[in-house]
Amino acid sequence: MKNSDIEFQPLWDPAPDIKGYPTLDRDIEADVAIIGGGITGVTAALLLSKAGKKVVLLEQYRIGGGTTGSSTGNLYAPIGQYLSSVITVDNKKIMKSVVESRLAAINLIKSQIEEYKIDCDLQQVPWHLFCTHDDPSSLKEINNEYEAAKMAGLKIGNVVPLQFPFEAKEILTVFDQAQINPLKYVQRLAASLNVSFCQVFEDSQVVDVQEGSPCMLNTALGSVKADKVIMATHSPKGIFGVQASMEPKREYALAVKLKGELPAPAIYWDINKAGEPKFSIRTCKNSQGNYLLVLHEQHKVGHMDDSYTFPDPVEAYLRNHFDVEEVVYAWSAQQYSSIDKLPFIGMSPIKRNVFIATGFAADGLVYGTLSAMIIKDAVLGIKNPWEHIYDPLRMPSFSSIPKFLKHNYEVFSDMFVDFVSSHTTEIRQVESGKGKVIKINGSHLAVYKDGKGGIYALSAICPHMGCSVHWNGFEKSWDCPCHGSRFSKEGEVLEGPAYKGLKIHYIKKGLP
Ligand code: FES
């Protein structure tokens, strides 16, 4: 199949009969303003409005259309970076609390599905972590995870099931986990909001937040005055200390049709090789049919090799294990992994009355829901049993310090290399169909030629904190390696902590 036949979008069907929401076009007031209409923001809106708070929810695009709608829909108690990695030398309590809190979040999702009669293809499935080779470190990782899961009291097994679709050498199974269609879930949840307490706005990008008492949020056409602000934006907008402790990464997903039967419904995590990104596989369906979905974390944001040809490596992996008939959907998403492997959830240490929820890595549906639970309690002045584990002000564990230093060394060396390296000074040296940062009269320009006569010349300086953006040839975007802001070829903010887009120097549109 040619790449041009693939639909570059997630496969999830939206919930039927969902109406859109208006754009904010006036000045309003609320107790709580929430930025971001993914699972974190919508769940927080629901919990707070049920508690009697007046809530305003602002989404830049469509409810559920960002990271939530690009996720796998898997709900599991373990974590992508492994439970065993959050056990400190003399403290197993944190790991146990992580599991307990994640189970509570999964239970909330299930109870909301029941309460609001949300048809989102919920099913109970096992979660399998396995490897298909005898690499000693992979075997050790699975054994460590087995011990951690046992310690946490999860219902587990280590026998390869009959007709397992991989030749597993070692396996850990955690029973009674779950899967949903994440887009339908979050859209239906938003539709369940009580309009007397919660106003929802789409196409309402927040361009500025002033912390304080009250806080002020501005969009292009309106503003919100609110006592509290929740940044449910994946990475908080603006400058926050936690951004120095998180690595932004792009991940890539495919949904394929198989020639034969699909494997049994389950969450399959192929550990791949120790230290390398794993493959996450599940079965799923939409109105067009049944698919096998695979997700693979590929590279740090802004570090994409121009020769990278997604979906080739992910497709090659699938074809190695299954009889693939056709690749139907392909898409990408972003994740932020914290250095100590736990998210940051709670009141910002540096901005008054602003709450953040970030660093979910690949575990965002459960952590997003948990964030809403913790922040709801904080807003209402209720002590939450897990707030201290995820406190953005927590001290980094000793073992995470080298990673923190390495990450920030890489950020600064990226910045240094980008600014002193010799760039071309000629726009004509930018190849057709490609983007490149060039230096003209001392200014760094991000130049893209679309191959149809169009030239897009923008400032290459990321407005977040001044790093230089890099061209992402596959997604045709300018990506910032420092904290993950991404911009369209026209310079608009696509995602990440930057509020403003790249400054436009010159744009000549090409032929359509
Ligand atoms: Fe922080 Fe670009 S995202 S400098």
Side-chain angles (χ1 to χ4, degrees):
M1 185 175 210
K2 300 192 300 292
N3 273 3
S4 55
D5 296 332
I6 300 171
E7 290 199 50
F8 281 94
Q9 62 175 57
L11 86 162
W12 302 116
D13 284 333
D17 310 325
I18 288 290
K19 61 175 176 57
Y21 299 89
T23 301
L24 178 67
D25 59 359
R26 59 193 187 280
D27 300 335
I28 56 177
E29 297 185 10
D31 297 324
V32 184
I34 300 173
I35 311 172
I39 196 165
T40 310
V42 173
T43 310
L46 186 88
L47 298 179
L48 284 162
S49 55
K50 275 171 87 170
K53 293 287 177 190
K54 292 271 184 196
V55 177
V56 168
L57 176 64
L58 300 163
E59 163 57 40
Q60 179 178 355
Y61 302 114
R62 293 274 173 276
I63 294 295
T67 310
T68 298
S70 299
S71 69
T72 59
N74 290 328
L75 309 174
Y76 44 86
I79 58 172
Q81 300 189 59
Y82 302 130
L83 293 172
S84 51
S85 70
V86 294
I87 301 176
T88 57
V89 178
D90 54 2
N91 192 349
K92 301 174 180 74
K93 258 168 69 179
I94 289 179
M95 184 275 293
K96 287 185 182 175
S97 296
V98 168
V99 170
E100 186 184 85
S101 61
R102 287 179 59 82
L103 286 172
I106 294 170
N107 284 337
L108 179 68
I109 293 172
K110 287 180 177 170
S111 68
Q112 289 182 154
I113 288 172
E114 203 179 321
E115 180 176 352
Y116 299 107
K117 304 196 178 2
I118 298 176
D119 176 12
C120 62
D121 307 324
L122 169 69
Q123 59 180 342
Q124 189 152 304
V125 294
W127 171 96
H128 304 293
L129 179 72
F130 61 94
C131 64
T132 55
H133 45 80
D134 286 319
D135 171 35
S137 33
S138 300
L139 299 173
K140 186 162 174 249
E141 254 175 3
I142 293 176
N143 285 326
N144 288 346
E145 205 55 8
Y146 179 90
E147 291 305 322
K150 190 160 97 180
M151 210 182 284
L154 290 168
K155 196 172 150 201
I156 56 174
N158 58 359
V159 177
V160 181
L162 287 175
Q163 298 184 319
F164 195 69
F166 298 86
E167 287 183 21
K169 303 283 184 201
E170 192 73 87
I171 192 165
L172 159 64
T173 298
V174 178
F175 297 100
D176 302 337
Q177 307 301 291
Q179 290 175 328
I180 54 171
N181 170 331
L183 184 59
K184 274 188 186 170
Y185 170 73
V186 80
Q187 288 181 333
R188 280 274 174 239
L189 202 62
S192 309
L193 289 163
N194 181 340
V195 292
S196 308
F197 285 90
C198 185
Q199 300 179 76
V200 180
F201 297 95
E202 292 182 324
D203 289 322
S204 300
Q205 181 186 5
V206 174
V207 295
D208 171 47
V209 173
Q210 290 150 32
E211 57 162 316
S213 262
C215 302
M216 284 297 301
L217 290 76
N218 294 304
T219 67
L221 302 174
S223 70
V224 184
K225 189 195 278 186
D227 296 336
K228 311 278 184 209
V229 172
I230 301 175
M231 296 263 187
T233 44
H234 212 197
S235 173
K237 289 283 185 189
I239 297 175
F240 290 81
V242 296
Q243 285 153 349
S245 300
M246 295 195 297
E247 270 185 344
K249 289 184 181 156
R250 299 297 293 162
E251 53 189 17
Y252 296 92
L254 286 185
V256 303
K257 281 203 165 150
L258 297 187
K259 284 188 183 142
E261 294 276 297
L262 285 169
I267 302 167
Y268 299 97
W269 281 9
D270 182 349
I271 205 167
N272 199 9
K273 287 210 172 81
E276 289 186 17
K278 65 181 84 57
F279 289 90
S280 168
I281 303 112
R282 66 163 288 190
T283 57
C284 53
K285 65 175 183 185
N286 66 13
S287 54
Q288 304 301 308
N290 298 314
Y291 304 90
L292 193 65
L293 186 163
V294 59
L295 180 107
H296 187 46
E297 176 195 291
Q298 277 292 336
H299 64 89
K300 286 174 36 175
V301 174
H303 286 253
M304 186 159 196
D305 184 338
D306 225 17
S307 62
Y308 179 64
T309 53
F310 176 73
D312 296 356
V314 189
E315 184 178 346
Y317 167 81
L318 271 188
R319 288 191 184 279
N320 202 19
H321 293 282
F322 298 93
D323 203 358
V324 174
E325 183 179 325
E326 99 183 92
V327 178
V328 187
Y329 298 95
W331 68 97
S332 54
Q334 189 145 312
Q335 57 156 278
Y336 297 83
S337 311
S338 81
I339 303 294
D340 70 359
K341 320 235 162 101
L342 294 175
F344 299 104
I345 303 167
M347 175 78 92
S348 159
I350 54 172
K351 305 216 172 167
R352 263 183 312 154
N353 293 318
V354 175
F355 292 86
I356 60 173
T358 188
F360 300 161
D363 312 315
L365 293 177
V366 175
Y367 274 142
T369 304
L370 178 62
S371 300
M373 296 159 72
I374 291 174
I375 293 173
K376 181 267 293 176
D377 282 351
V379 169
L380 299 179
I382 299 168
K383 175 107 184 115
N384 183 286
W386 307 297
E387 62 187 20
H388 61 287
I389 297 170
Y390 304 109
D391 184 352
L393 201 51
R394 67 180 178 265
M395 291 297 288
S397 67
F398 189 69
S399 60
S400 68
I401 290 173
K403 201 165 177 203
F404 173 84
L405 295 174
K406 179 171 174 286
H407 170 63
N408 284 287
Y409 171 77
E410 284 170 2
V411 166
F412 283 110
S413 56
D414 271 343
M415 211 188 253
F416 181 74
V417 169
D418 286 337
F419 285 111
V420 301
S421 61
S422 55
H423 301 283
T424 176
T425 57
E426 302 272 355
I427 284 190
R428 69 180 166 201
Q429 284 180 7
V430 179
E431 287 176 53
S432 185
K434 293 203 168 165
K436 195 175 178 68
V437 173
I438 68 171
K439 197 169 171 185
I440 296 181
N441 298 332
S443 297
H444 291 76
L445 297 188
V447 178
Y448 167 61
K449 288 187 185 170
D450 66 8
K452 297 174 196 162
I455 301 176
Y456 301 76
L458 314 165
S459 166
I461 308 305
C462 174
H464 179 233
M465 288 174 74
C467 291
S468 177
V469 294
H470 293 191
W471 180 241
N472 174 341
F474 167 62
E475 296 178 90
K476 302 271 182 289
S477 60
W478 292 102
D479 298 357
C480 181
C482 290
H483 313 106
S485 290
R486 297 181 58 243
F487 307 89
S488 70
K489 64 181 189 295
E490 289 92 359
E492 295 157 341
V493 179
L494 296 173
E495 63 185 302
Y499 277 118
K500 292 194 179 130
L502 298 176
K503 198 168 145 212
I504 297 173
H505 281 253
Y506 171 77
I507 288 186
K508 182 185 102 174
K509 299 257 185 197
L511 295 170

